[in-house]
Amino acid sequence: MATSPTAATQAPPRPERRERLDRTARITVALLFTAWLVDYVDRLVINLALPSIGREFGLDRTEQGLAVSVFFLAYALCQIPGGLLADRFGAKRTVGWALLVWSAFTALTGLAGSFTVLLVVRFLFGAAEGIFPAAAMKAISERTAPGQRMGANGLVSSSNALAAVVAPVLGAPLIVAFGWRSTFFSIAAAGVLVYAALRLWLPDRTQAAPKARPGGSGVRTVLGSGVMWRFAGMFFGYDLIVWGLNTWVPTYLNDERGLSLTAAGTAALVPAVVSALAAVAGGRLSDRLGGRHGLVVAPAMVVASLGVLLMTTAHSLTVFVGWLTLAAFGAGLSFMPIFAVPMRSLPAELAGSGSGMIIFGGQLAGVVAPVVMGTLADAVSFRAAFAFLVLGAALAAVLSLTTPQNTGAFLAALHRRRPTDPATDPATDPATDPATDPATDPATDPATDRTETDKERA
């Protein structure tokens, strides 16, 4: 029976949708936070090592940027396959194998004897890491209630910014003392330890994957959806800023400001901490707003643009760090809101595919930013290179205002039909939540639930 619009709009939100994370969710967040931390340290350390690698192999800045971009090319290409693998074989298994394989290629990075070998190893490393993100998001979706997901993902994703603290604090001294190769061996060992922890302690899922409803969205619908590709484009704009700054700020401070590698890493500590806190705040804000990402992303991108444009005009290191911090705050606050509506709206069995699509868009920015900025820095100046990042902020802001702002509008766009009343958002109404619908939830069928759980444990 149709819900009365008046009753629906006046019905108060159910308090259980914003309950604190239970023990299963907390353990999941802690383990995946650690895995993401290793993931990001793995890929950020090469930014610190670029000056040493460039000197050893005789590389210009464009070639140094290529060493970063080749990782992101493979990383981007494997986002959607990673989501499909997680949907097919289970998130826990996919996360574990991805972590183990990328740790092996991290170690092999330290053994590269030529620039060509380095490019091949970094490409394969990117492919292994590319399988991980969508599977990790799916693992969180299976172990949290819909109204908790962006908050939980925000906590996990804050590890990305924390890695920007850990990488220079630990990596820079190791590179200076023992050389860039030894640093990759150390990080690979950490990855193996985290793999063991995930295998031993990651809890079984609590949100069983629902069977597809008649007319419901399947993988083909999601992958062929124009609205999903617009969310991917929004994440491309966001990540253009993130990977542009992460790749070239250490080299800029070393080459243009005369800072040592260790000092350049230390200068990035405050922006990294602020970005981590902003990512957590953005996730919680998304849960409170029930999506509505345009309210967060558009103004945050304006702030990020201001910081990016002003930081290279700074006459002192303190002022430079201040503007960099402003840019990091705007970018960090935007992170989780970009995912909010799709992840609140898609059922758990499509969380891997959906998040993989969005992350794919972001990682394409990781292919573009290092090479384009390196070329601009060589041909024009670092100021022109950093100004290029404003294009990413503009793209993200525009798409944040032109994409569906709630689940009703998102599902209507996904299925190309008229929007329903936003009050019937399945993320806020258990009666319409696929994950809690007795008619479609395998959790109500002990035989089905047992089969799915056994497959996850395999």
Side-chain angles (χ1 to χ4, degrees):
M1 184 172 64
T3 304
S4 166
T6 303
T9 54
Q10 292 178 353
R14 293 179 176 264
E16 65 268 23
R17 289 295 171 180
R18 294 192 177 99
E19 64 186 7
R20 291 185 176 182
L21 299 179
D22 59 18
R23 183 174 181 273
T24 293
R26 290 197 301 272
I27 293 173
T28 301
V29 166
L31 288 171
L32 290 177
F33 178 95
T34 307
W36 268 111
L37 183 65
V38 173
D39 174 300
Y40 262 67
V41 169
D42 272 5
R43 72 180 77 169
L44 289 176
V45 162
I46 196 170
N47 299 331
L48 298 169
L50 277 180
S52 300
I53 293 172
R55 286 190 293 270
E56 180 171 336
F57 295 132
L59 310 178
D60 61 23
R61 287 171 181 160
T62 301
E63 290 170 322
Q64 291 175 42
L66 182 60
V68 178
S69 291
V70 71
F71 160 86
F72 282 105
L73 176 61
Y75 189 77
L77 292 174
C78 288
Q79 293 301 317
I80 295 174
L84 296 174
L85 286 172
D87 290 339
R88 174 65 180 85
F89 296 107
K92 183 174 181 178
R93 180 188 295 180
T94 306
V95 163
W97 280 108
L99 208 165
L100 191 62
V101 174
W102 96 54
S103 296
F105 283 112
T106 299
L108 289 173
T109 300
L111 297 174
S114 68
F115 181 53
T116 301
V117 172
L118 178 67
L119 291 179
V120 172
V121 171
R122 294 302 291 180
F123 181 87
L124 296 174
F125 168 63
E129 275 207 355
I131 293 171
F132 175 79
M137 282 197 167
K138 179 180 176 67
I140 294 171
S141 295
E142 292 174 337
R143 291 160 178 83
T144 56
Q148 301 170 334
R149 283 175 192 159
M150 289 304 100
N153 273 296
L155 289 170
V156 172
S157 298
S158 67
S159 61
N160 301 351
L162 182 61
V165 177
V166 173
V169 167
L170 298 182
L174 283 174
I175 292 171
V176 171
F178 303 106
W180 63 271
R181 297 177 185 276
S182 298
T183 306
F184 288 100
F185 299 147
S186 302
I187 299 170
V192 173
L193 292 177
V194 175
Y195 165 78
L198 281 170
R199 292 295 298 173
L200 289 172
W201 297 319
L202 186 65
D204 290 332
R205 67 192 187 192
T206 56
Q207 301 290 326
K211 298 175 182 177
R213 295 183 177 189
S217 61
V219 171
R220 290 183 181 178
T221 301
V222 172
L223 296 182
S225 167
V227 70
M228 283 297 299
W229 287 112
R230 281 187 281 152
F231 277 97
M234 197 190 320
F235 201 52
F236 175 93
Y238 155 84
D239 253 347
L240 201 70
I241 298 173
V242 170
W243 291 118
L245 294 177
N246 283 338
T247 302
W248 287 111
V249 163
T251 300
Y252 168 79
L253 291 176
N254 184 260
D255 292 355
E256 301 293 315
R257 300 272 178 164
L259 269 68
S260 67
L261 186 61
T262 303
T266 303
L269 293 182
V270 173
V273 170
V274 168
S275 180
L277 295 175
V280 175
R284 294 188 175 182
L285 189 59
S286 295
D287 282 338
R288 287 185 176 274
L289 292 174
R292 301 174 69 190
H293 47 277
L295 295 177
V296 180
V297 176
M301 284 294 111
V302 173
V303 170
S305 296
L306 183 64
V308 165
L309 288 173
L310 292 176
M311 67 185 193
T312 54
T313 66
H315 297 294
S316 70
L317 179 61
T318 301
V319 175
F320 174 87
V321 171
W323 291 125
L324 179 60
T325 301
L326 187 68
F329 171 78
L333 194 64
S334 302
F335 187 5
M336 293 318 304
I338 294 173
F339 288 87
V341 170
M343 290 299 97
R344 287 171 62 87
S345 308
L346 293 172
E349 87 273 16
L350 296 175
S353 305
S355 58
M357 282 185 68
I358 298 173
I359 297 170
F360 168 77
Q363 304 322 310
L364 284 180
V367 178
V368 173
V371 171
V372 171
M373 290 182 68
T375 302
L376 286 172
D378 278 335
V380 186
S381 67
F382 264 111
R383 180 173 295 184
F386 286 119
F388 165 73
L389 302 180
V390 175
L391 296 177
L395 177 65
V398 170
L399 288 176
S400 75
L401 297 173
T402 57
T403 43
Q405 302 292 309
N406 57 60
T407 292
F410 172 82
L411 292 177
L414 191 68
H415 299 295
R416 297 179 178 86
R417 52 181 169 75
R418 293 184 61 186
T420 57
D421 191 327
T424 61
D425 186 336
T428 58
D429 183 359
T432 59
D433 184 356
T436 58
D437 186 348
T440 61
D441 189 349
T444 62
D445 181 351
T448 303
D449 191 44
R450 182 171 57 252
T451 300
E452 293 293 328
T453 302
D454 288 344
K455 185 169 72 174
E456 182 71 86
R457 288 174 175 167

